[in-house]
Amino acid sequence: MILSRRLQAAWRLLRWGELGVRLSACPLCERKRVFVRLAHNEIAVRCTGCGASAVTLSMVAVLRKLAPQLHRLGVYELSARGALFAFLQQHAQQLTGSEYFPALASGQYHNGVLCEDVQALSFSDASFDLCTSTDVFEHVADDGLGFRNVLRVLKPQGLFVFTVPLCAAPATIERAVRNADGSIKHLLSPEYHGDPIGKTAHILAFRNYGGDIVARLIAAGFASAEIVWPQFSIWNFTRPVVVAYKHNQQHSAEV
Ligand SMILES: [Zn+2]
């Protein structure tokens, strides 16, 4: 049933003029796989072995380089399904995953899935070695509060590795704000994102991040942050990955 739904979603996404098939190395599968491009879109480019998109595979390529000791790390991933979650489940020492359910408080469960609002995480301080997320923070109303929550639950040597859509502009463009009463005030025309093959279509983007995302992480309390380009590309689709360190440590941007 799930497969059938995904096939139907993939079929709707398919643009015949943009269809492509290619054999290439998959950083998640760690072997050559057949990739399919359903459309000229990083989410529509998938490894047929693991199902991961070009965005997820950019994350995995960076994680393999930055955290080769993943098998010794306790990880918190801000989702509880998908190819990245499955990868972490297989490789991390311990994995906690969650989803955001607007009607539930952090720490509650919905059909066995932990609910967490990244603006109010229920975990104790210094709970994790590594936090990860893909394309979540542009949907968080108060991203600074979200960053501070991630910082709090990281151990002293912890790091935060995540993706957001990044535009070339130096400054982040705020598109919407949440009022104190919970209503949304749109500053620009509403922009919605989602994974059309998964279940997360049509989620409001509060902002389009620019190069100042690094400064925003420092302002939230991280000791250092950088934008890392992965050594992964398929049909020229690759996604820069943001890496933030709770405390200063030796690291290299040459991933
Ligand atoms: Zn794969």
Side-chain angles (χ1 to χ4, degrees), residues 100-101 104-108 114-123:
Y100 174 59
F101 302 100
L104 295 182
S106 291
Q108 293 188 306
L114 176 64
C115 171
E116 291 290 338
D117 176 350
V118 74
Q119 299 163 113
L121 292 175
S122 69
F123 310 117

Side-chain angles (χ1 to χ4, degrees), residues 25-31 33-35 46-52 57:
C26 173
L28 198 157
C29 298
E30 287 193 297
R31 53 177 288 193
R33 289 290 200 188
V34 174
F35 281 74
R46 301 275 170 156
C47 167
T48 58
C50 60
L57 293 176

Side-chain angles (χ1 to χ4, degrees), residues 3 37 49 66 74 84 109 121 137 145 148 152 163 189 200 214 231 237 253:
L3 180 64
R37 183 187 64 205
L66 277 184
L84 178 63
Y109 283 82
L121 292 175
F137 272 80
L145 184 56
R148 293 196 294 279
R152 180 182 67 74
T163 64
S189 59
T200 57
V214 168
Q231 283 191 341
F237 288 110

Side-chain angles (χ1 to χ4, degrees), residues 2 19 27 87-88 94 122 194 198 212-213 228 251-252:
I2 289 172
L19 179 65
F87 167 78
L88 293 169
Q94 187 268 337
S122 69
D212 62 350
I213 190 167
V228 176
H251 59 268
S252 167

